[in-house]
Each structure stands twice: as C-alpha cells, then as structure tokens.
Amino acid sequence: MNLADLLPEGSLDALTQQLGISREDAERGAQALLPSLIGSINGKTAAPVEPAGLAAQVKALGGSGLSDNVVGSSPTDTGLGNQLLASLFGSKDVSREVAGEASQATGLDPAILKKMLPILAMLVAGHLAKRSGGQQGGLESILGSIAGALAGSGGSSGSAASAGGLGGILGPILGGR
C-alpha cells in the first residue's frame, strides 16, 4: 500500500513525535491499521457506515482540518479521531480488537496502536477531504468509490496481510501519486 495515497505529507513524522516511536514503527503500524479503517467504510464492522453519513461527519468535525490538526504545531485533539472511530467501528471493543490484530501482525505494543488509531483516522479523513477539493459531494464520492472497490474485491479482512491489495484498489480511486 502506498501510504502517500491515504496520508498527508508529514503524517509519519507527526506519529513518531506524538507517540514516541520510530518512523519505521509508525509506518508498520499505519500499514497494519489502515485496512481496518478503510474496510469499515464498506460495512465490514458491526456498525456499517454509509459514505454520505461519514462524509457529513468528517465535514462536521473539521473536514480537511482534521489532518492539519495532527500535522500542525498544536496538540492533536484525539477526541475528534475517537468520534470518527465510534462511527467507523461502532464500539471501543472493535478498536481494541483492531489494535490487537495489528499488534500480532507487527509486534508493536497494542497500547501504542490504540493511541495511533484515532490519529490515523483523522489523518485519513482529513486527507481524503482535502483531496476531494471541497466540492459538493466530493468526499462522499471518494468514500463511495472506496466502498464500491472494496465490495468488488471481497473487502478487507483488517489484517496486515491485506494491506498490499488495498493499495492496488485505492490507487486509481484516489488518483495515485
């Protein structure tokens, strides 16, 4: 998976600074967690979320400003990311499960991955909002395309092993880099 398709510039640096981990660990964690975040758009969780509803929530929480909140110089308001996770996963139990699976796949501490999840959700949501160009229905269209591509590919299992296929699905949707 090409992280540049889903994360704004400076994301890995922000993760390393905020979580006190190496750049390599930030990249491994992001690679392991992203399939579950993206897969949730396609209803692969207990609380399926529709692209229109998610787009409205992202806009209400700050749109492209979500990623700026993380990569900027001010402290990150992870409460915004936790609100996104509540919509994407439905419960904290699912977030814990996702972090646990990612921990098993990467060897990273699950506590670090639990802290990474809301930050990563903000980075992805903000970046996709920015890539939509603020056009009416732009983010909803991107999210709907992702959901459709995942449905056509059999979806994402949420494991790190599925990360390679996710990049191939999302590259054309997001215009690749």
Side-chain angles (χ1 to χ4, degrees), residues 39-168:
S40 66
I41 295 169
N42 194 34
K44 298 293 182 192
T45 62
V49 61
E50 292 293 322
L54 182 57
Q57 183 181 24
V58 168
K59 184 176 179 181
L61 292 173
S64 63
L66 287 168
S67 59
D68 296 338
N69 185 297
V70 175
V71 298
S73 59
S74 300
T76 299
D77 179 2
T78 57
L80 299 172
N82 283 321
Q83 288 180 52
L84 281 171
L85 289 176
S87 291
L88 292 172
F89 294 150
S91 77
K92 288 188 179 196
D93 291 336
V94 176
S95 292
R96 288 183 198 106
E97 183 180 314
V98 167
E101 289 176 9
S103 175
Q104 289 178 349
T106 63
L108 297 173
D109 182 347
I112 293 291
L113 294 167
K114 282 191 273 188
K115 290 179 185 177
M116 187 184 290
L117 260 174
I119 298 169
L120 205 54
M122 292 172 65
L123 287 166
V124 171
H127 187 60
L128 293 178
K130 195 171 285 186
R131 292 202 57 181
S132 73
Q135 300 171 8
Q136 181 73 18
L139 179 58
E140 182 178 338
S141 176
I142 288 174
L143 294 171
S145 295
I146 291 170
L150 288 171
S153 72
S156 169
S157 68
S159 71
S162 65
L166 189 59

